[in-house]
Amino acid sequence: MVHYHRYHQPRKPSESINKDEESQNLVMDCSTSVFFKRTRPKLITFLFLITFLSCYYVLAPIFFGPSFNLSLLYSYGTGDAAEVNIPMRSSVSSGTISCDRSGFRSDVCVMKGDIRTNSSSSSIFLYNLRSTDKISTTNEGRKVGEDQLLQHEKIRPYTRKWETSVMNTIDELNLISKRVNLVRNHGCDVQHDVPAVFFSNGGYTGNVYHEFNDGIIPLYITSQHFNKKVVFVILQYHNWWITKYGNVLSHLSDFPVIDFSRDNRTHCFPEAIVGLRIHNELAVDPALMKDNKSIVDFRNILDKAYWPRIHGLIEDEERESQEKLREQIASTPSLQASQQQYIKVQVQENPSKKPKLVILSRSGSRAITNENSLVKMAEELGFQVEVLSPGRTTELAKIYRVLNASDVMIGVHGAAMTHFLFLKPGSVFIQVVPLGTTWAAETYYGEPARKLGLKYIAYEIQPRESSLYEVYDKNDPILTDPASITKKGWEYTKKIYLDGQNVNLDLRRFRKRLRRAYEYKVSKSKLNLQHKPQ
């Protein structure tokens, strides 16, 4: 299920601006009167501005630490939870660690120089062979043997920073910068000539929504500008996750992933990003991406990842079908003519021309209890219907194949709605919205679906369509005012509306949405035929 965070919104842009203004005021006093006398008013203003900016940029890193320059690259987007993630590589000097901790959803640190892993101490070291006055240091003068500690940062590389209970389960990394005389005692077992991205597979991994929202999409956002010349280093590594998303990873990186905890070798990198950048719910903000990449570009990655496997499945099925047909004809020659006639009729009818509708079926909570009647009604309207019940072990390529070939997808609000990413832009997504889930349904799936280019239709059920109608008094706020209940917190929402509710659709009412979807797809198909080259 989706773990809601409605009441954990990030700081607003104005709050960030206020902090910057306060910082400027602290520095402003350093030399405001240097050119105050013996100048004309206009010249005073100009020289004051130049002096102020020079003083600010020279002294600010001393007051605010090495991450100051990095923070200048970031500002908050217009969305409630948007975070600006402009690539930081060019702004980071060699031999430094720059961390941005202003994001609501995640911290991100960038390291450049002689980078070496040490899994036994959960550390990533950055070694500096020569002294430099440009590095802002912490614990100045402290030495470990021959090594002088310059900077020590701690980070949990996971994208749900505001959820303390979850973040406490994420392995913490030490990022340590040292000035050393010799590095032969810190030799490299594996030398990489491309950057690394470090992230965790802990937290809510195991839930398909969180696997995409908190993992795969942020990984795409963080790494796509490397053009596959990047190594992924994973904390809390899961073999099943690699199996599940290996096809996708192969289109983001040309190199094998590294299990940080179990690989005790010293891996050396010229550059590293620790932590993943994230924009919004199941979203890629083009304004924050190199070459204005969008969620459609991410979906194209999925297309490339899954189609080779899908083609293999299709070929296997065709081969099996042909073999069965040959066996039947060989065993009963009299069937040959009838088989050929049957194939001819099937081709003439061509049921694939009907708009295809896929129902994502749920078992347990939030199930559609009259699903069979829904299937019958959809077929009467002219749809070719398939009921899909994806499980945790269902191969994603098989789900992708079904949804990529469909015109309409129907499902009840829940993690499985994440599969709208598998629909082609221009398809219809109908989300059945149970009581108490209106805000979440729109935020987590409705808005992201529209950004992908889908026609999104929300069907908010009425109290009579909820199984809760038979449990509570008709005037109970649980039925009449769900918003007042969800305000009480996640536990109330989960127990009452997510775990304790099923749906019995008012088919007469729902039929209007289905008809709208049918007419939309049919009209669009006719329009495409008119514009198709002859």
Side-chain angles (χ1 to χ4, degrees):
M1 68 188 71
V2 175
H3 291 78
Y4 299 9
H5 57 271
R6 180 176 185 175
Y7 303 106
H8 298 274
Q9 296 302 328
R11 292 172 295 180
K12 295 179 181 179
S14 60
E15 295 173 346
S16 179
I17 293 171
N18 289 338
K19 287 203 171 187
D20 288 342
E21 290 173 350
E22 291 171 4
S23 300
Q24 292 173 4
N25 289 335
L26 288 173
V27 181
M28 187 181 297
D29 292 335
C30 63
S31 60
T32 58
S33 60
V34 174
F35 298 98
F36 183 78
K37 296 181 180 180
R38 303 176 186 175
T39 55
R40 288 177 294 180
K42 290 184 179 180
L43 183 58
I44 291 173
T45 302
F46 175 74
L47 293 176
F48 171 83
L49 179 61
I50 295 298
T51 304
F52 164 71
L53 291 175
S54 299
C55 182
Y56 182 56
Y57 281 97
V58 170
L59 298 182
I62 296 175
F63 292 107
F64 301 105
S67 63
F68 170 78
N69 291 332
L70 180 63
S71 67
L72 297 178
L73 297 173
Y74 281 67
S75 62
Y76 288 95
T78 56
D80 285 342
E83 295 184 9
V84 174
N85 292 294
I86 299 171
M88 302 177 290
R89 300 171 64 197
S90 60
S91 67
V92 180
S93 301
S94 181
T96 63
I97 303 173
S98 293
C99 294
D100 181 73
R101 301 185 185 277
S102 64
F104 171 70
R105 295 169 179 258
S106 67
D107 292 333
V108 179
C109 294
V110 176
M111 309 172 71
K112 240 180 188 180
D114 186 356
I115 299 166
R116 309 188 182 205
T117 63
N118 187 289
S119 60
S120 62
S121 63
S122 297
S123 300
I124 307 173
F125 290 98
L126 175 60
Y127 292 116
N128 290 274
L129 281 176
R130 60 187 178 83
S131 181
T132 175
D133 295 331
K134 295 181 179 180
I135 300 176
S136 176
T137 65
T138 59
N139 298 317
E140 183 65 37
R142 178 183 173 186
K143 296 184 178 181
V144 181
E146 294 181 346
D147 300 343
Q148 181 183 6
L149 180 65
L150 300 176
Q151 187 179 352
H152 185 179
E153 302 282 350
K154 292 179 179 289
I155 183 172
R156 298 179 189 272
Y158 190 60
T159 55
R160 298 191 78 81
K161 177 180 169 182
W162 75 94
E163 287 196 65
T164 305
S165 60
V166 174
M167 292 303 290
N168 287 339
T169 69
I170 303 300
D171 289 350
E172 186 175 60
L173 280 175
N174 297 289
L175 312 184
I176 300 173
S177 174
K178 290 183 176 183
R179 185 178 293 127
V180 296
N181 295 326
L182 297 171
V183 294
R184 59 173 174 263
N185 293 328
H186 311 285
C188 302
D189 295 318
V190 184
Q191 180 71 57
H192 302 271
D193 58 2
V194 297
V197 172
F198 292 75
F199 64 97
S200 174
N201 253 345
Y204 294 128
T205 301
N207 173 291
V208 68
Y209 166 81
H210 292 288
E211 286 167 8
F212 275 94
N213 186 70
D214 302 330
I216 293 295
I217 294 178
L219 186 60
Y220 169 76
I221 290 170
T222 306
S223 67
Q224 62 85 29
H225 63 285
F226 289 118
N227 296 318
K228 300 176 67 177
K229 303 305 178 184
V230 60
V231 175
F232 298 142
V233 185
I234 304 178
L235 287 73
Q236 294 164 280
Y237 179 103
H238 301 295
N239 285 321
W240 64 263
W241 187 88
I242 298 298
T243 300
K244 187 174 184 179
Y245 293 105
N247 291 336
V248 179
L249 296 179
S250 68
H251 287 272
L252 299 179
S253 169
D254 285 333
F255 304 90
V257 299
I258 296 172
D259 180 350
F260 181 80
S261 300
R262 294 187 179 90
D263 191 336
N264 294 320
R265 295 176 297 174
T266 298
H267 290 266
C268 297
F269 299 96
E271 183 179 344
I273 297 177
V274 186
L276 299 180
R277 303 166 190 164
I278 181 170
H279 293 166
N280 214 322
E281 309 300 331
L282 299 175
V284 177
D285 188 342
L288 312 180
M289 297 290 288
K290 180 183 177 182
D291 300 326
N292 297 316
K293 298 289 186 180
S294 70
I295 192 66
V296 175
D297 294 291
F298 171 76
R299 190 197 175 280
N300 291 339
I301 292 289
L302 299 182
D303 222 28
K304 295 175 183 177
Y306 293 129
W307 264 109
R309 170 61 174 154
I310 291 171
H311 283 308
L313 292 171
I314 293 173
E315 290 175 356
D316 290 343
E317 291 171 1
E318 290 178 347
R319 185 164 51 252
E320 290 177 6
S321 179
Q322 291 172 359
E323 289 176 357
K324 288 181 179 179
L325 182 60
R326 282 195 295 269
E327 290 174 0
Q328 291 175 351
I329 293 175
S331 61
T332 314
S334 60
L335 288 177
Q336 184 170 358
S338 61
Q339 286 285 355
Q340 291 176 345
Q341 180 62 27
Y342 172 76
I343 294 173
K344 182 179 179 180
V345 172
Q346 289 292 94
V347 170
Q348 290 174 346
E349 291 183 356
N350 195 5
S352 64
K353 285 188 176 181
K354 293 182 178 180
K356 182 176 180 180
L357 182 148
V358 175
I359 299 172
L360 286 186
S361 182
R362 290 183 63 98
S363 58
S365 64
R366 283 164 287 153
I368 298 176
T369 55
N370 57 342
E371 188 177 274
N372 291 337
S373 299
L374 172 62
V375 171
K376 184 178 179 181
M377 182 179 71
E379 290 175 340
E380 290 173 351
L381 282 172
F383 284 107
Q384 176 191 352
V385 181
E386 180 171 349
V387 178
L388 183 63
S389 302
R392 291 184 63 178
T393 59
T394 305
E395 186 180 353
L396 285 182
K398 294 180 178 179
I399 301 174
Y400 193 91
R401 176 187 178 185
V402 173
L403 292 176
N404 184 71
S406 69
D407 299 289
V408 182
M409 183 183 94
I410 295 175
V412 181
H413 171 69
M417 294 303 94
T418 307
H419 293 116
F420 79 77
L421 292 168
F422 295 0
L423 295 170
K424 289 182 290 189
S427 301
V428 181
F429 170 28
I430 302 177
Q431 182 176 201
V432 177
V433 183
L435 297 181
T437 65
T438 301
W439 178 89
E442 168 63 20
T443 302
Y444 296 120
Y445 304 113
E447 183 179 351
R450 284 189 287 266
K451 290 178 179 177
L452 184 60
L454 304 180
K455 181 174 179 57
Y456 174 69
I457 300 175
Y459 178 81
E460 297 185 22
I461 72 168
Q462 295 178 341
R464 288 181 178 272
E465 295 173 89
S466 171
S467 60
L468 299 176
Y469 194 77
E470 304 299 326
V471 179
Y472 296 94
D473 182 82
K474 308 307 179 282
N475 296 318
D476 193 302
I478 287 176
L479 298 176
T480 61
D481 189 15
S484 67
I485 306 300
T486 57
K487 284 181 180 179
K488 294 182 179 181
W490 162 248
E491 291 304 323
Y492 282 91
T493 301
K494 183 177 186 298
K495 180 179 178 181
I496 297 172
Y497 295 117
L498 300 182
D499 295 344
Q501 179 176 199
N502 286 325
V503 174
N504 190 278
L505 292 173
D506 179 341
L507 294 180
R508 179 177 294 184
R509 182 169 170 253
F510 192 77
R511 185 184 183 94
K512 296 177 183 178
R513 272 69 170 183
L514 267 187
R515 182 174 290 281
R516 187 164 34 138
Y518 180 84
E519 292 173 351
Y520 172 80
K521 289 307 300 180
V522 169
S523 62
K524 192 166 185 177
S525 296
K526 290 180 179 178
L527 188 64
N528 290 338
L529 285 174
Q530 290 174 2
H531 290 85
K532 188 176 181 180
Q534 300 296 324

